[in-house]
DNA sequence: TGAATAGTGTCTGTGAGACAATATAGG
DNA sequence: CCTATATTGTCTCACAGACACTATTCA
């Protein structure tokens, strides 16, 4: 009964949305294997410090971004004989959302952490490119039946911004009326009272209500 | 760099549907800790034999049921310091569906494997009761927007049986018309040509099409 | 024919898609 | 007033809910 226990790690696909594009957080690996390559932020459980897998993930992310992500959700676990050259390994992958401005922005000088547009990813270590694909696919589905992608936005945002984000995820334009109607009916946003001026009529600034974290519409937007 | 690597296992919540009730497959533990208690079928990765986590899970299930489950899907991974008395451990949990008649039925004489109605579970080892809850909740959601629960039925089944299963999962009666309309429109079932007589007008026997494995309705049934 | 179960017709209500119309800001 | 952006009005259509009705079997 003494099998080789596969090495188990956690990794996070952290998304943010800035200047019209979806970005993902990457770190440069220090250690072998694949030292010097870009990879997802992650690491191994510290059994003395972490109470559970989520704590491990959160701890690693705080090290990289300076703050706790506003949305963190387990995505999938991948374990096989080929993903790590050292042999059988398992990763528990989380998907996270965070407002870019909330982060201690990784400086471009210290180039071991960076945000990268999802359509301009460098070559990545292990199976991390696939993991990002999976996370994107899941997030796209979410955009069809919830407004949780909004956790990638700053604390306050306009409906146009939220819609733009959803359009980016889904990959096609949405009807303004449909998008707003369902959000309003479900009461998912809180009017901050403030407005943002930008060329035309000022837009109302909203915050996500706590309800929006778990709310799923019964009817999807069309794909 | 030499942390204690948590013990990683896989476990499966295997459902079937028989005589109007949802049942789950349990096995009696041989080994400590918690020897003699009922638990989910599972085990540890055999790095020499298994290509990936799904293979590990499938192998363990074949040992217990005699056949590969017709539906197998990763549910969640749980890892923390408290779920196993030996210390930090992780389980990757799969959710599976299988027709009971397809299984090499665990004999009640050899009482180390048994099917149990989900509302009559014995005390279970570790956090396995919670894991079953999570799997049930997921399966209930599935029943609202897909017909994948049908993989818990025999190869051929009637629409009434499929609807009964969904009603059991959702916990409330469904409109016959709505249930049938959406399935028919999506073309998810294949008419076997056969009928089953049972007191009244014979019911058409259907099989699941391959499409039904991945098909999601855009609109949920009401919860 | 009557009971039992299978399957259909059809009306209503809800909410998404489409797109036009109106509102509010700065030149 | 003109341009730009935000917000609303409103028509249509697809589809779920409700429930009555017809169909097919056996006794």
């Amino acid at each position: 009964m003494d099998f080789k226990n596969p090495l188990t790690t956690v990794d996070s696909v952290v998304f943010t949305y800035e200047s019209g594009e979806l970005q993902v957080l990457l770190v440069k690996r220090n250690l072998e294997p694949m030292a010097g390559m870009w990879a997802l932020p992650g690491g191994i459980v510290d059994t003395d410090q972490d109470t559970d897998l989520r704590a491990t993930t959160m701890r690693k992310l705080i090290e990289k971004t300076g703050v706790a992500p506003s949305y963190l959700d387990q995505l999938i676990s991948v374990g096989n004989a080929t993903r790590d050259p050292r042999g059988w390994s398992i990763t528990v992958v989380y998907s996270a959302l965070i407002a870019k401005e909330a982060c201690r922005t990784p400086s471009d000088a210290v180039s071991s952490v960076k945000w990268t547009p999802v359509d301009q990813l460098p070559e990545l270590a292990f199976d991390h490119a696939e993991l990002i694909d999976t996370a994107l696919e899941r997030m796209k589905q979410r955009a069809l039946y919830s407004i949780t992608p909004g956790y990638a936005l700053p604390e306050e945002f306009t409906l146009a911004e939220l819609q733009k984000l959803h359009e980016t995820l889904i990959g096609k334009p949405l009807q303004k009326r449909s998008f707003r109607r369902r959000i309003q009916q479900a009461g998912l946003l809180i009017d901050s009272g403030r407005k943002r001026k930008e060329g035309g009529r000022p837009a109302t600034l909203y915050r996500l209500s706590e309800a929006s974290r778990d709310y799923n519409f019964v009817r999807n937007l069309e794909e």
Side-chain angles (χ1 to χ4, degrees), chain A residues 143-144 159-160 162-164 166-167 170 172-183 220-223:
Chain A
L144 295 174
L159 282 171
L162 183 59
Q163 183 174 340
K164 263 286 190 189
H166 279 245
E167 286 172 341
I170 296 170
K172 58 168 284 187
L174 296 173
Q175 289 289 331
K176 187 160 50 173
R177 198 65 174 107
S178 308
F179 190 74
R180 289 166 181 237
R181 182 174 37 211
R182 61 204 324 244
I183 291 174
N220 285 13
L221 293 173
E222 86 179 1
E223 203 160 346

Side-chain angles (χ1 to χ4, degrees), chain A residues 13 19 29 41-42 54 67 70 75 84 93 109 120 123 132 145 147 160 162 170 180 182 188 194 203 207 211 216 218:
Chain A
V13 184
S19 50
R29 284 183 60 80
R54 166 177 280 262
V67 299
S70 37
L75 177 65
D84 187 314
V93 185
Q120 297 167 39
E123 200 189 351
I132 292 173
Y145 61 76
I147 60 166
L162 183 59
I170 296 170
R180 289 166 181 237
R182 61 204 324 244
L188 297 181
R194 270 194 293 285
R207 287 182 290 110
N216 293 333
V218 292

Side-chain angles (χ1 to χ4, degrees), chain A residues 10 12 41-44 55-65:
Chain A
V10 301
S12 296
I44 65 176
T56 304
T57 309
M58 198 68 96
R59 178 171 59 78
K60 288 287 177 185
L61 289 182
I62 290 172
E63 287 174 13
K64 300 302 176 191
T65 64

Side-chain angles (χ1 to χ4, degrees), chain A residues 11-28:
Chain A
D11 287 297
S12 296
V13 184
V14 189
F15 293 113
T16 196
Y17 189 67
E18 195 200 38
S19 50
E21 57 180 20
L22 207 60
Q23 305 180 357
V24 62
L25 187 68
L26 301 178
V27 302
K28 192 169 270 183

Side-chain angles (χ1 to χ4, degrees), chain A residues 132-152:
Chain A
I132 292 173
D133 273 353
T134 304
L136 268 173
E137 189 50 43
R138 170 84 62 100
M139 202 58 74
K140 172 185 171 177
Q141 290 308 312
R142 286 251 164 84
L144 295 174
Y145 61 76
S146 82
I147 60 166
T148 49
Y151 286 96

Side-chain angles (χ1 to χ4, degrees), chain A residues 30-97:
Chain A
N30 292 320
L31 305 169
E32 291 296 343
M34 307 200 183
M37 284 192 84
W38 291 100
L40 293 174
I44 65 176
V45 173
D46 180 344
T47 52
D48 294 328
Q49 187 178 167
D50 303 325
T51 57
D52 56 22
L53 286 171
R54 166 177 280 262
T56 304
T57 309
M58 198 68 96
R59 178 171 59 78
K60 288 287 177 185
L61 289 182
I62 290 172
E63 287 174 13
K64 300 302 176 191
T65 64
V67 299
S70 37
Y71 192 86
L72 178 66
D73 194 65
Q74 193 180 300
L75 177 65
I76 196 177
S77 299
V78 177
N80 60 51
T82 57
R83 58 182 301 278
D84 187 314
R86 291 167 291 185
W88 239 100
S89 79
I90 298 171
T91 178
V92 181
V93 185
Y94 283 77
S95 176
L97 299 172

